[in-house]
Amino acid sequence: FINVDIAPLGETDDVAFCQRLVREHGVAAIPVSAFYARDPITTVVRFCFAKHDQTLDAALSRLDGVARPAA
């Protein structure tokens, strides 16, 4: 797993971000807030990379542009 801080993207809701990733890019991530009973961190998402290289390459292609500001 790798945790990614989405705050630099202007994101503050990890659940909404993860839902949007699936809906718009077909890539799943886990909102880290799901691991907290109280005072959750809401700007970090968790990706699993225990996948075949081909799967990871396809996900990276689909995520291209997610972290780039709109022109």
Side-chain angles (χ1 to χ4, degrees):
F1 294 96
I2 186 168
N3 289 342
V4 177
D5 183 3
I6 57 173
L9 302 176
E11 300 286 346
T12 59
D13 184 339
D14 59 343
V15 174
F17 180 82
C18 288
Q19 290 171 342
R20 196 166 56 254
L21 275 184
V22 170
R23 192 172 52 251
E24 296 178 7
H25 303 283
V27 175
I30 302 161
V32 169
S33 63
F35 297 100
Y36 288 79
R38 287 184 254 158
D39 303 321
I41 294 173
T42 61
T43 59
V44 177
V45 298
R46 183 176 180 176
F47 291 93
C48 176
F49 58 92
K51 311 283 183 201
H52 293 285
D53 286 346
Q54 181 179 1
T55 302
L56 294 172
D57 290 341
L60 288 172
S61 292
R62 290 193 303 269
L63 290 174
D64 187 38
V66 170
R68 293 191 186 118

